[in-house]
Every structure is written in structure tokens, then in C-alpha cells.
């Protein structure tokens, strides 16, 4: 049996590959010590730290979407819809209060445009904008412009809260969906760190019980998975306290804007591999735990490695606006390149610590993938980890 400090890369829907890799680790009898993750890796790291076993995680990723009456929702072909598909949730009209609507770019354009023969009626402009916001596609565009993302992310937060409450009850460790990092650490004893990006202060955040003790773990995960222009940005709330002793609010009390950690580090291997005695930043955010007292294991999602039995197809095709808005598509391609490039040299220098998990042909936002494709992805993760441990 080996003890590992583990890092989980970001990758959106491709993160389901981690389940297979964790199952292989479990079968070999290996255990984890410190856990750190970004985006999809943050979701996995948090669930593992909370007490989820690989089989339980597999049940979670296989969960089907149900309607208000408890019936399984099916697609046009009669196939059950994965609950993960609900994570691409369009904002609701109630998400945008009148003050936000009045201060929006759309409202400003309406005020500036003068049509010949028509009076400049503010009440009409407001009525027109409010009517446009009744359409879900326009709400996505409005959210993209005003909130930094096409999708709300509320369904994901609801799912994660359910998972945390559920495992707390099952294991008896009393973990709840409202636990702060300090409370979570006190209950589990697990050293969990999640990576996010503060676009206001232009810095990477390593969120854990040392740096952000009052921040709820569920919201830290939500921050970490906020792929820019896909999910809405998360403004820091005053009730979440400070980060490393520093406020994340401006003089007017507005919170700093937090997005996906992958913007600055999608594979934060450095924070478990470097000895704190030799790296001041690592020591400040990760504490004095000697890195050499456990093995290092990085789970890297590799889009160049084929997934046997995946059946092709997939990708990021979507009925949502993200599949139609060319600007969003361009930005996502740029973000993918940035996320992969930032950690590339460090990965190359520490290749012996990295298990490359196949994900070729799978899309970052492919949350509605078929059961067959999901099964193939999980199996590929299992096989890759077994080969890495051999």
C-alpha cells in the first residue's frame, strides 16, 4: 500500500475519467493524504475528501435527471438524460433584478439609439428589455455580457450540496453542504485545497482551511469550476471572510470576481510536489507538511489519448446558445489553450508523477454524454491507472 498526495486536473465533463482511476487505486489498496484540484478536479477532490468511495462516485455520475414527479427524463430518442446535463442551466428572469437590468449594456444601447419618428420613452425601453429577458436564449446572452457566463451554475450547486449532505449522513462524519473549510477539516481531517482565480486582484487562489477558513467548501468548488464565459462568475461574499488575511471586497463592499482556477493553473502539481522548506508560496498556502513523506500522483486528462469503445461523436455539441455563439466558441478554444499551456513545463519536468488519463474526442461541456460513452471513459481511466501503477 502507498500513501499519495494527489492532484486532479480540470476538464469539465471529461472529469468522469477520474472515477475509473480512483477505482483502480482503491483496488490496489492505496490511500490519499493531501488532495488538490481545479475545476472538475476540484469536484472530485472535494467528494473524495468528504468520504466518497469510487463506487459511490460512479453512482453519482450515472444519476439520471428526474422531473418534478420523480420520473426519469428522456431525450428525443427515448434515452435517459444524465443529471449532469442539467448543469448547463439557463439563468432565470429572477436572477436579474431591475437595478441590474437598468444598468446593463442593453439598456444603455436602448438609451443611445434614436429611431426617427419615435419618442425616446424610458418606460418602453424597460418594457422591451424585460420582455426580451423572458426568452431563455436572450437570458444566456444577457448573462454572458453582464455576469461573465452563459449558464447559471445553480443546478450544479444544488447537486453538490445533495452529495455532501448525503455522504455526511452515510459515513457519520457529519459533513454538510454548508460546511466552511474550517468545519470540513475539523470533521474529516482531510487536507483539501481547491484552485480558483481572482480576476479582480489578478491572482491564483489556493483555497483551504489555512487560507480561507470561513469560505464554504461548496462555494469554493463552484468558484473553481466557473469556466470563463460558460458559467457565471462568482463574486466574493463578505460572510466568507478573508483570504490569507486579506479582504476580497472593495471599498464599496463589492466582492472580487472569482472564476475557474484553470485560468492560472489547471494542474497544480507544484503545490504537492515542492517542499515547503524550499518554496515560500507553497509553505504559506499548504503549510509545513513535508512533501517527501508521501508519493506524488497527478491525474492528468489527456485529450491526445484515444478512449477505446467511445464510439466517436460527442464533443461540445449543445442545444444551448454556447453551441451557436461563435464568440463563446472562440473564447473557449483560447481558454483551453491557456489552461493546457500554463502547467506544461512543470508537467514535463515531473512526468514520473503523472498518470495520463485518456479523453480524446470528449468535450469539456459534454455533460449529456450517452451511457456507453461514459462507461468507456470510466473504463479508460481505470485501465490507465492500472498501467501507471504496474
Amino acid at each position: 500500500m502507498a500513501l499519495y498526495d494527489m492532484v486532479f486536473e480540470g476538464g469539465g465533463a471529461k472529469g468522469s475519467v477520474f472515477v475509473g482511476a480512483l477505482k483502480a487505486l482503491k483496488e490496489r489498496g492505496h490511500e490519499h493524504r493531501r488532495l488538490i484540484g481545479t475545476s472538475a478536479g476540484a469536484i472530485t477532490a472535494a467528494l473524495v475528501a468528504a468520504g466518497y468511495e469510487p463506487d459511490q462516485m460512479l453512482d453519482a455520475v450515472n444519476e439520471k435527471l428526474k422531473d418534478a414527479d420523480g420520473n426519469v427524463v428522456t431525450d428525443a430518442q427515448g434515452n435517459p438524460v444524465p443529471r449532469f446535463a442539467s448543469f448547463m442551466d439557463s439563468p432565470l428572469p429572477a436572477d436579474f433584478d431591475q437595478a441590474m437590468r437598468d444598468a446593463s449594456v442593453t439598456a444603455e444601447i436602448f438609451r443611445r439609439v434614436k429611431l426617427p419618428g419615435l419618442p425616446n420613452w424610458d418606460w418602453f425601453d424597460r418594457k422591451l428589455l424585460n420582455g426580451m429577458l423572458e426568452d431563455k436564449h436572450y437570458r444566456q446572452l444577457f448573462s454572458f455580457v453582464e455576469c461573465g457566463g452563459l449558464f447559471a451554475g445553480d443546478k450544479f450547486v444544488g447537486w453538490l450540496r445533495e452529495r455532501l449532505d448525503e455522504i455526511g449522513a452515510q459515513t457519520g462524519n457529519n459533513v454538510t453542504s454548508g460546511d466552511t473549510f474550517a468545519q470540513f477539516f475539523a470533521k474529516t481531517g482531510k487536507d483539501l485545497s481547491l484552485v480558483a482565480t481572482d480576476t479582480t486582484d489578478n491572482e491564483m487562489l489556493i483555497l483551504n482551511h489555512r487560507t480561507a477558513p470561513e469560505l464554504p467548501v461548496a462555494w469554493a468548488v463552484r468558484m473553481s469550476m466557473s469556466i470563463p464565459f460558460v458559467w457565471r462568475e462568482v463574486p466574493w461574499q463578505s460572510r466568507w471572510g478573508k483570504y490569507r488575511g486579506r479582504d476580497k471586497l472593495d471599498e464599496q463592499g463589492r466582492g472580487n470576481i472569482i472564476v475557474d482556477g484553470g485560468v492560472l493553473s489547471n494542474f497544480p502539481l507544484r503545490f504537492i510536489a515542492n517542499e515547503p522548506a524550499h518554496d515560500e508560496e507553497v509553505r504559506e498556502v499548504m503549510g509545513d507538511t513535508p512533501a517527501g513523506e508521501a508519493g506524488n500522483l497527478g491525474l492528468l486528462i489527456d485529450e491526445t489519448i484515444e478512449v477505446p469503445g467511445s464510439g466517436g461523436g460527442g464533443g461540445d455539441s449543445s442545444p444551448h446558445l454556447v453551441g451557436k455563439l461563435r464568440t463563446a466558441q472562440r473564447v473557449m478554444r483560447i481558454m483551453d489553450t491557456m489552461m493546457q499551456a500554463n502547467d506544461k513545463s512543470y508537467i514535463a519536468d515531473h512526468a514520473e508523477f503523472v498518470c495520463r488519463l485518456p479523453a480524446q474526442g470528449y468535450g469539456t461541456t459534454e455533460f449529456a454524454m450517452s451511457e456507453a460513452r461514459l462507461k468507456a471513459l470510466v473504463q479508460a481511466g481505470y485501465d490507465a491507472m492500472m498501467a501507471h501503477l504496474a
Side-chain angles (χ1 to χ4, degrees), residues 3-5 31-35 190-191 289-294:
L3 183 67
Y4 288 108
D5 287 337
E31 299 290 343
H32 60 269
R33 187 178 64 158
R34 296 182 297 174
L35 301 162
K190 299 299 183 181
D191 193 336
T289 303
E293 291 183 356

Side-chain angles (χ1 to χ4, degrees), residues 132-149:
M132 291 168 65
L133 284 170
E134 292 301 313
D135 177 76
K136 73 172 185 178
H137 293 300
Y138 181 73
R139 288 199 300 274
Q140 286 182 269
L141 185 59
F142 187 90
S143 180
F144 181 84
V145 173
E146 302 296 334
C147 305

Side-chain angles (χ1 to χ4, degrees), residues 41-52:
I43 300 169
T44 303
L47 293 179
V48 171
Y52 270 86

Side-chain angles (χ1 to χ4, degrees), residues 4 7 22 77 132 151 156 164 213 222 241 275 298 314 349 364 378:
Y4 288 108
V7 56
L22 290 168
Q77 289 72 44
M132 291 168 65
F151 303 108
F156 166 76
L164 292 174
R222 172 65 179 84
E275 289 291 350
D349 291 340
T364 301
V378 172

